[in-house]
Amino acid sequence: MPSPPQRPLPDQVHLPSGTVVRLSDAAARAEAEAIFGAPGGGGERSSVGRCARDVQVLAGPSVLTDARGAPLDPLGLPLADAHVLRALLASAGVVPEEPGAYTCENCGAPFEVAPSRLLEIGPFTDGELDDPELDRPFDFGALHPIPALRVGRAVCRGVRFAERTVEEAMPLLRLPGEGALRITPSLVVAMGIAALGRERRAKGIADALAGAPDEAWAAIVDLYHEARYPARLVAVHRCQGCGARNDLDVPLERELARAPLRAPEAGADDPEEPGAPAERAGAFPDLDAFEARVRAAAERIYAARGVRNIDLFIDAGVPACDDGGEPLLGCYTPGTPADELGIARPPEIRIFYRTFRSEARADPGFDVDAEIAETIDHEVIHHLHHLAGSDPLDDEEHAQIEREELRRIGHAEAARRARRGALSDLAGFARATWPAWVIAAVGTALAWCEGGR
Ligand SMILES: [Zn+2]
Ligand SMILES: [Zn+2]
């Protein structure tokens, strides 16, 4: 198997807690080889969990030091800091990461990728960890809402987490990836579950979790990931089929597996899905009912905006995506004048049924009719701007996508890439035109020689 190009570990890293540490690429690779075997060697299964082995690499001689170069024990780090360092080890190929198997959230196409290689590390190396969303610290004081579960004789709907160091979490980090998870009081302590509703005793919490319904456990695991892994630890993979953005966990191997989620479109067109409550109030409309509601809304909105003759198409196929890879609720395409065959195309507003359906599934508060009306009105505004000759709304949407990219890549890194892009453009220009440069240089030399006589 050809090994992918390696990037070295960064010398210096800013961690979510604010600590700045230094890493040695050479020392980390030597230690990783001792623990995982030579790169590409397959690496036999270990009875010690993957996270604990990554920590072992960080604990190797000279691998991790503080900003002044003094040795730093990874066991004392807050867990989120350690997970950032684990992500960097995987992203630099210091520790192995097998490709994960995924399905595109928009079109359902399968793909495989090792996500850590796609991590944007600029904000960690440049100390740009101040984004209000991507770097927001987890709220350890709050009771976070979860689906109801029984705790003793009470029903609880909230969980509170405590901060954990690597050492405190070690019973969890050491668990091998395979095998069923046995929830014991010491595991509850390692997970840092401080309260389940009013229950604070580890034993009471462990008993409740052992019998928890799947959706409550899944919500707790999601919150666990939120508490221990900064939102920045994400790989953005763009689907080759439909262009959708799929956000993948980095690193791939984590101490608690997220509950397997239903594949997005598998069986989605069946009216009765197994396990779905039959005919819930407010269940999502089928395609015919949806289309009727879209047409009724369009009639109203076209009249109010004073527009006519915009084709309206309800698309039940794979939704188109914007330039940022987000599946669209709707889109507008201007008309085209008659071509050589005399065929003109009217302007069109297209509404994507499946995006509405997946938004409604993800958010119980999603108001289908309000969103239909807002989407049609939005596309009509694009139409009016187009007729007026310029579309500031479109410009703003593109600027918004670029701002979001920038927040993820980091400002300093984006500037470096822009400079490299400019330089490679210059190099390309020089390569394409070098004979002319040589002739000019020879000419200059000759001219100089002549002048020197
Ligand atoms: Zn796709
Ligand atoms: Zn728009």
Side-chain angles (χ1 to χ4, degrees):
M1 194 169 69
S3 55
Q6 270 179 0
R7 58 178 168 189
L9 271 181
D11 294 333
Q12 183 169 293
V13 180
H14 295 251
L15 297 175
S17 67
T19 306
V20 178
V21 299
R22 303 182 74 86
L23 288 165
S24 160
D25 184 75
R29 284 185 202 276
E31 192 65 22
E33 195 167 328
I35 293 166
F36 291 95
E44 75 284 11
R45 292 272 153 219
S46 167
S47 61
V48 177
R50 175 52 193 271
C51 297
R53 283 187 290 159
D54 287 353
V55 170
Q56 257 180 289
V57 173
L58 293 170
S62 311
V63 174
L64 180 66
T65 57
D66 69 14
R68 293 203 210 130
L72 190 64
D73 184 355
L75 290 179
L77 289 174
L79 206 41
D81 283 4
H83 285 321
V84 167
L85 293 171
R86 290 205 315 114
L88 293 172
L89 292 177
S91 124
V94 172
V95 297
E97 185 176 74
E98 295 296 317
Y102 304 91
T103 47
C104 173
E105 286 176 29
N106 191 43
C107 73
F111 64 91
E112 286 195 5
V113 66
S116 294
R117 309 266 168 163
L118 302 174
L119 177 69
E120 293 291 351
I121 68 166
F124 297 110
T125 57
D126 298 313
E128 293 179 21
L129 300 179
D130 51 7
D131 187 86
E133 195 182 316
L134 297 175
D135 301 304
R136 188 183 57 210
F138 186 79
D139 188 349
F140 287 103
L143 202 62
H144 297 271
I146 50 169
L149 86 151
R150 190 161 280 287
V151 184
R153 287 195 202 145
V155 171
C156 111
R157 291 191 171 79
V159 61
R160 188 155 51 79
F161 283 91
E163 295 198 62
R164 283 291 176 262
T165 63
V166 171
E167 189 165 25
E168 290 164 338
M170 203 38 97
L172 176 59
L173 303 183
R174 288 181 59 82
L175 288 180
E178 286 95 33
L181 186 68
R182 232 167 48 80
I183 300 169
T184 59
S186 71
L187 195 74
V188 166
V189 174
M191 282 178 74
I193 300 185
L196 205 53
R198 290 196 186 161
E199 179 63 83
R200 291 162 182 226
R201 294 168 310 131
K203 171 86 172 70
I205 294 173
D207 290 346
L209 289 180
D214 288 349
E215 68 262 26
W217 174 249
I220 290 169
V221 172
D222 281 347
L223 281 165
Y224 177 88
H225 283 253
E226 217 180 287
R228 308 304 180 205
Y229 290 86
R232 240 181 223 299
L233 290 184
V234 73
V236 171
H237 172 87
R238 294 291 288 268
C239 175
Q240 290 184 340
C242 74
R245 164 184 174 153
N246 287 268
D247 287 13
L248 315 175
D249 282 347
V250 169
L252 173 62
E253 301 221 41
R254 297 186 167 192
E255 63 274 38
L256 268 186
R258 289 190 198 263
L261 295 173
R262 186 173 43 81
E265 294 304 328
D269 292 314
D270 305 343
E272 289 127 343
E273 291 177 56
E279 277 312 305
R280 261 179 312 129
F284 196 75
D286 67 16
L287 185 58
D288 288 344
F290 180 80
E291 171 149 11
R293 282 152 80 167
V294 170
R295 296 211 175 272
E299 199 172 314
R300 238 177 24 246
I301 292 160
Y302 284 17
R305 289 274 182 193
V307 298
R308 290 185 297 158
N309 304 330
I310 310 173
D311 270 9
L312 185 63
F313 183 70
I314 288 88
D315 193 329
V318 173
C321 296
D322 70 14
D323 289 352
E326 293 296 342
L328 293 165
L329 290 164
C331 68
Y332 166 72
T333 312
T336 51
D339 58 16
E340 62 270 24
L341 298 173
I343 299 170
R345 287 227 332 258
E348 181 199 78
I349 288 175
R350 190 172 283 242
I351 300 294
F352 295 102
Y353 175 69
R354 280 161 66 163
T355 311
F356 277 82
R357 192 177 57 189
S358 50
E359 292 285 320
R361 279 183 181 156
D363 171 13
F366 187 83
D367 181 340
V368 178
D369 285 306
E371 296 289 339
I372 287 173
E374 196 180 309
T375 303
I376 295 171
D377 196 52
H378 178 95
E379 305 308 340
V380 169
I381 294 172
H382 276 305
H383 174 69
L384 294 171
H385 283 321
H386 175 75
L387 294 183
S390 89
D391 188 349
L393 189 57
D394 191 53
D395 297 343
E396 172 50 29
E397 283 167 0
H398 281 101
Q400 171 74 31
I401 289 166
E402 266 171 44
R403 280 197 296 273
E404 198 175 310
E405 267 303 89
L406 201 57
R407 288 166 48 207
R408 195 169 56 80
I409 292 170
H411 291 78
E413 175 60 19
R416 281 192 293 273
R417 283 183 198 176
R419 275 199 301 277
R420 272 206 301 274
L423 280 178
S424 68
D425 284 353
L426 201 61
F429 173 74
R431 265 197 305 280
T433 57
W434 71 268
W437 287 106
V438 171
I439 291 163
V442 170
T444 307
L446 288 177
W448 184 83
C449 288
E450 274 177 3
R453 230 185 233 171

